[in-house]
Amino acid sequence: MDKESDATTEGAAVRPVTSAPGPQNDDEFSALRAIVAGTARGTGEAFFQSLVGHLADAVDVGYAFVAEFAGARTRVRTLAHWGKGAALPGVEYDLEGTPCEDVLRGSLCHHPNAVRAKFPHDRYLVEFGIESYLGVPLLDAAGEVLGHLAVCDDRPMAARPRLLFVFRIFAARAAAELERLRVERLRAESERRYRELYEEAPNVYVSLGRDFRLLSVNRRTAQVLGREAAALVGAPVLDLFAESPAGRVRAETAFGRCFQGEDLAGLELELRRPDGSPLWVSVWMRPTRDAGGTIQAAHSIWVDVTDRVLAEMERARLQQQNLYLQEEIKSVHNFEEIVGRSPALQGVFDKVARVAPTDATVLITGETGTGKELIARAIHSRSRRAGKPLIKVNCAALPAGLVESELFGHEKGAFTGAFSRRLGRFELAEGGTLFLDEIGDLPLEAQAKLLRVLQEHEFDRVGGVSPVKADIRIIAATNRDLLQAVRAKAFREDLYYRLCVIPIALPPLRERTEDIALLVRVFVARFAAKLGKRIEGTGPETLRRLVAYSWPGNIRELENVLERAVILATSATLEIDPDVPGHAATGLPNASPLALEAVEKNHILAVLSQTGWVIEGPRGAAVRLGLHPNTLRSRLKKLGLARPTHENS
């Protein structure tokens, strides 16, 4: 530089002096030692504050500051500011019109004197009466300008090469610290954002140790599980899962696989909240290893899928219920309404009206064809459960070996062929009524489970490990003498008394003969309308024979006889041949009375003879008798009836 008043700007071509200073520059070495001593242990704000204070004192200037860009590269803010022996408040200012503007373009800038006159719009220079200025850019490892270090004074500042050398050394140190701070800020911001994402994430984030204890949880975990986060950390994770095949058992197996190095993806597990409500999650899990490659923990994401899983379970239940109801619709029901005015039937109506609003268990007894199912439907339709399904189970028709599965359902894999979970009739009837017809044919093993449902209102699926709550009303029916079955050890006595809370005995048709004429009118009108025939009435002799007949098959038999008669009718007056039904003399007063079982046996044999011992199909005996084919086979076995040998060919 020719003149001290000239500004010196050094770009990339200017290099600091690298030779060791001589003895004549002891003042520069003193300055160097002072700065080193003052900043050796400091970092961050403390480092910069110490730097500018020691720098100002060492180079004998009034002011020193270090600054970084304030967002835009046209504006800076001071990180530390020293003036007249004390720390000054930080300032933020625009670069335009200041000597710092040249520095932040990447060059050392020295104005030995008259700097205030060169930058008259710089309020800082004017306010403090600054005469000289020296600034150097702070560069990162890639050469990018991060900020600058500057000293200034109200006196001229001569250009001293050794001083500039020291100044640039500490500018490099300041740049390194500034770069470190920037990286630290970025890391802190990244951690903050990660922590916010972690804590506020809509999903559960947990870490597990090798002992299956929770190492960390996010806020969502506590919300979903309904527990305090502090109580979860350190707790055994398996304690959170339900005691079910899809709960603790599956979780323990899956977590074990993860700690053997296997990733988990989309595994659905069942948990339990403190209030006992179910919680279903879809789990993703990945093991984490230490520097030696040993798995030390596992990080996991749980997505709450409870609503979807419960909706799917409800959909499956409704689908099975719908299939069942469709089968019921397709099946033949005896009546659409109860018909009769006899005192015996009116007594039944009165009892139905009184018991229907309660949840009491009802046992309906009566001969085959007396309308036990119809009475069960009447009880259900007048109960508070009328909006829920009435599920019917014919205990005599349940497949051998699958009784418990049909009633209580089974879990996937419970037995050979159990490829998926199946809901039993008890779950299909949830909230409604379960009608157990032919309860006397229920196996003893299933009777024990039914007793548990009545006592504890819960049951176990086949292959299940946790009980299923049951909110159902049970109505049972039988045409057998259950007390005799109890004495014969074929029926549990305790179950009998549990079922027989409200007994309803249906009278056979022969004990309510005053209802036969009314039933004939109702059935004839119904069948005539269905077949498009005009039937104005029934012949007196025909009606007399119908009233006199004993009707071992009861109303079901009467219905079948009348339907056949309407089909064959050729005139407006219904007439029935004297040999139909059976032999009329069977029911006349002078006929010798037969035991009920003998009457039933004779009637079934007569129908089988008419059908050629064909049981199933539209022309089979089961249809004529109004029985399910399996029920008819069961009755044949109990009555000791078998097809004659000469008809087996």
Side-chain angles (χ1 to χ4, degrees), residues 340-355:
R341 299 172 182 168
S342 64
L345 192 58
Q346 291 300 319
V348 171
F349 291 163
D350 180 63
K351 187 172 285 189
V352 167
R354 282 182 287 147
V355 74

Side-chain angles (χ1 to χ4, degrees), residues 461-477:
R461 299 189 192 99
V462 177
V465 295
S466 59
V468 178
K469 293 296 182 181
D471 176 23
I472 57 175
R473 180 184 196 168
I474 292 180
I475 300 176

Side-chain angles (χ1 to χ4, degrees), residues 150-210:
V151 292
C152 49
D153 200 21
D154 53 7
R155 299 168 297 170
M157 187 187 307
R160 292 177 288 173
R162 296 295 181 182
L163 180 59
L164 295 179
F165 170 71
V166 171
F167 192 68
R168 298 192 73 161
I169 288 176
F170 280 88
R173 173 67 180 88
E177 181 63 17
L178 187 58
E179 184 174 15
R180 188 192 67 79
L181 281 180
R182 185 178 68 167
V183 171
E184 188 175 279
R185 287 175 189 157
L186 291 174
R187 180 182 59 78
E189 176 63 16
S190 177
E191 287 182 354
R192 183 190 65 79
R193 294 176 62 186
Y194 171 77
R195 175 57 60 179
E196 288 182 354
L197 289 173
Y198 178 79
E199 291 294 345
E200 303 301 331
N203 298 323
V204 171
Y205 287 98
V206 299
S207 294
L208 300 180
R210 293 187 62 85

Side-chain angles (χ1 to χ4, degrees), residues 98-116:
T98 70
C100 303
E101 187 174 16
D102 289 335
V103 179
L104 290 170
R105 290 194 181 107
S107 302
L108 180 146
C109 184
H110 182 208
H111 295 275
N113 55 21
V115 67
R116 187 171 66 256

Side-chain angles (χ1 to χ4, degrees), residues 248-314:
R248 186 185 183 104
V249 175
R250 185 184 297 175
E252 187 170 12
T253 301
F255 295 165
R257 295 202 316 266
C258 183
F259 277 97
Q260 291 174 1
E262 180 180 340
D263 289 357
L264 303 180
L267 179 67
E268 292 188 355
L269 300 174
E270 183 183 8
L271 298 90
R272 280 286 184 269
R273 294 187 174 96
D275 61 2
S277 61
L279 170 65
W280 286 84
V281 295
S282 184
V283 175
W284 279 259
M285 181 177 286
R286 174 171 294 178
T288 58
R289 293 174 166 84
D290 59 17
T294 302
I295 296 175
Q296 296 294 340
H299 293 309
S300 184
I301 300 174
W302 299 356
V303 181
D304 186 353
V305 294
T306 304
D307 291 342
R308 175 180 63 77
V309 172
L310 293 183
E312 289 176 351
M313 293 171 66
E314 178 65 10

Side-chain angles (χ1 to χ4, degrees), residues 17-26 28-29 32 162 165-166:
V17 178
T18 57
S19 59
Q24 67 274 25
N25 301 109
D26 289 343
E28 281 83 1
F29 282 122
L32 183 61
R162 296 295 181 182
F165 170 71
V166 171

